Amino acid sequence: MKTLKPRKYELEFFILDEIELSGFRDELASMEHPFFALKGGDTRIREYRNGSTTVIVKPNADGLATIFDKDIWIYVISKLQESMNINKEISKIVCFTPYDFFITTNRTISGRTYQELEKALDRLQGTTIKTNIFYSKHKQEIMGFGLIDSWQILEEKKGKLDIGMVKVTLPDWLYQALYKNKMLKISSDYFRIRKAIDRRIYEIARKHCGVQSEFSIALDKLHLKTGSTSLLKMFRHNIKQLVKTNDLPDYKIRYNTGEDMVIFSNRNNKFKLDN
């Protein structure tokens, strides 16, 4: 099976509630550390340590927010970044239409997708992060926050906002990340990646390979970074399958059997270092 799902909608550019979106952004710390679960219904508390950095992820009763729920994060971050790029005033509150979100993230539009959106918002609010990663002046403290502060689906028209629009309030931590330029452009084909693990591998490749020609990582370290709960041998099998199809956006992938290393190489160096 190919890594990418078919593109459901042929769009030359993306218009998000009157803002033309020229690209998508992901947040650096969540690309480096597995904030998001790869499977639905995961109710375990997860703790990750990398040097002096600590990340503890706690779920609500419905489980951790998943890598597919993260599409909402990426969507609203991208809207805010584009507004900043054109010197438009922004706030932690972001409003959008479900239809626009579904089109942009290559989702089928149905009653079920609307229900899934509401559940995803619940998981994002219910999943909490405790970390010492900072994008503000408070360097010595440990901070806890939800992946979003709150959400609302409007049941009556408010100003320019129509009934059914979604209103999301972002945590200050994520909002600060925008101002500290802790964002990276990602491919619009990210939303077409079928498997959760392959999305996570793309994030890691994008974060570490970036605009370099090549990046190598030990398979066991990559396994840890993804947050995968599968056995290492099953993860190795998944990597080998990904090498066979080799259609991950932006990066080619190789596996060195003798050294048990995964090597990513940049297809085209199209990403720029600025926003």
Side-chain angles (χ1 to χ4, degrees), residues 248-265:
L248 201 67
D250 305 320
Y251 301 99
K252 297 177 183 178
I253 181 171
R254 307 194 310 276
Y255 173 61
N256 185 316
T257 306
E259 298 183 8
D260 209 20
M261 298 283 292
V262 181
I263 304 98
F264 297 97
S265 56

Side-chain angles (χ1 to χ4, degrees), residues 20 23 29 35 100 102 131 142 166 192 195 198 203 209 223 238 241 246 275:
E20 183 175 335
F35 284 13
D100 199 13
F102 298 150
T131 184
I142 293 176
V166 179
R192 296 174 57 206
K195 293 182 181 180
D198 293 347
E203 282 191 317
C209 191
H223 179 245
N238 187 83
Q241 292 300 115
N246 220 344
N275 290 324

Side-chain angles (χ1 to χ4, degrees), residues 8-275:
K8 296 180 185 297
Y9 314 101
E10 291 298 331
L11 300 176
E12 293 183 3
F13 53 87
F14 301 91
I15 300 292
L16 305 186
D17 304 319
E18 301 180 355
I19 297 175
E20 183 175 335
L21 191 64
S22 59
F24 295 97
R25 305 297 193 283
D26 203 347
E27 186 276 329
L28 283 171
S30 66
M31 297 172 79
E32 173 70 19
H33 306 285
F35 284 13
F36 294 85
L38 300 181
K39 293 181 181 179
D42 189 340
T43 57
R44 297 171 305 141
I45 296 175
R46 296 184 170 195
E47 184 170 345
Y48 303 94
R49 296 185 184 276
N50 185 5
S52 61
T53 299
T54 301
V55 178
I56 300 172
V57 189
K58 295 183 178 181
N60 67 3
D62 296 324
L64 296 167
T66 71
I67 194 75
F68 294 102
D69 299 339
K70 190 183 183 182
D71 287 1
I72 298 172
W73 245 41
I74 293 172
Y75 179 83
V76 297
I77 288 169
S78 302
K79 288 188 66 172
L80 290 177
Q81 183 67 67
E82 198 69 35
S83 292
M84 289 176 69
N85 291 348
I86 59 174
N87 298 316
K88 188 172 182 179
E89 186 177 347
I90 66 170
S91 79
K92 291 192 289 185
I93 298 174
V94 183
C95 298
F96 61 88
T97 63
Y99 176 85
D100 199 13
F101 170 72
F102 298 150
I103 291 288
T104 306
T105 57
N106 205 49
R107 281 165 160 76
T108 301
I109 300 172
S110 68
R112 181 178 176 181
T113 358
Y114 279 87
Q115 293 173 358
E116 289 174 349
L117 174 60
E118 188 170 329
K119 290 177 181 178
L121 290 164
D122 262 339
R123 288 189 294 267
L124 287 168
Q125 185 180 7
T127 299
T128 58
I129 307 292
K130 185 161 67 173
T131 184
N132 58 357
I133 302 170
F134 292 102
Y135 294 142
S136 65
K137 296 179 181 179
H138 306 290
K139 300 293 184 183
Q140 303 302 319
E141 300 174 4
I142 293 176
M143 180 182 293
F145 54 90
L147 291 172
I148 59 175
D149 276 357
S150 63
W151 63 272
Q152 178 183 4
I153 297 178
L154 302 180
E155 295 183 356
E156 60 182 42
K157 187 175 177 64
K158 294 182 180 180
K160 294 182 179 180
L161 304 181
D162 293 325
I163 296 170
M165 287 192 77
V166 179
K167 182 165 72 172
V168 172
T169 304
L170 299 181
D172 185 64
W173 181 89
L174 182 59
Y175 195 62
Q176 288 293 330
L178 279 160
Y179 283 100
K180 299 294 183 180
N181 294 319
K182 302 297 183 179
M183 303 287 162
L184 277 181
K185 285 183 179 179
I186 61 171
S187 171
S188 60
D189 285 334
Y190 171 85
F191 301 114
R192 296 174 57 206
I193 301 175
R194 296 176 188 273
K195 293 182 181 180
I197 186 64
D198 293 347
R199 286 187 172 212
R200 192 68 194 105
I201 289 168
Y202 171 80
E203 282 191 317
I204 294 166
R206 176 70 188 102
K207 167 69 167 56
H208 289 282
C209 191
V211 295
Q212 300 176 89
S213 59
E214 194 169 280
F215 164 70
S216 300
I217 184 171
L219 184 117
D220 59 348
K221 187 174 182 180
L222 181 62
H223 179 245
L224 182 65
K225 276 184 171 293
T226 63
S228 172
T229 58
S230 68
L231 296 174
L232 185 60
K233 66 179 182 179
M234 293 303 298
F235 180 74
R236 185 179 290 108
H237 172 75
N238 187 83
I239 288 293
K240 289 178 179 179
Q241 292 300 115
L242 196 56
V243 169
K244 284 182 181 178
T245 54
N246 220 344
D247 56 354
L248 201 67
D250 305 320
Y251 301 99
K252 297 177 183 178
I253 181 171
R254 307 194 310 276
Y255 173 61
N256 185 316
T257 306
E259 298 183 8
D260 209 20
M261 298 283 292
V262 181
I263 304 98
F264 297 97
S265 56
N266 206 314
R267 292 185 189 276
N268 48 29
N269 285 331
K270 74 176 182 180
F271 290 111
K272 296 181 180 179
L273 295 177
D274 60 5
N275 290 324

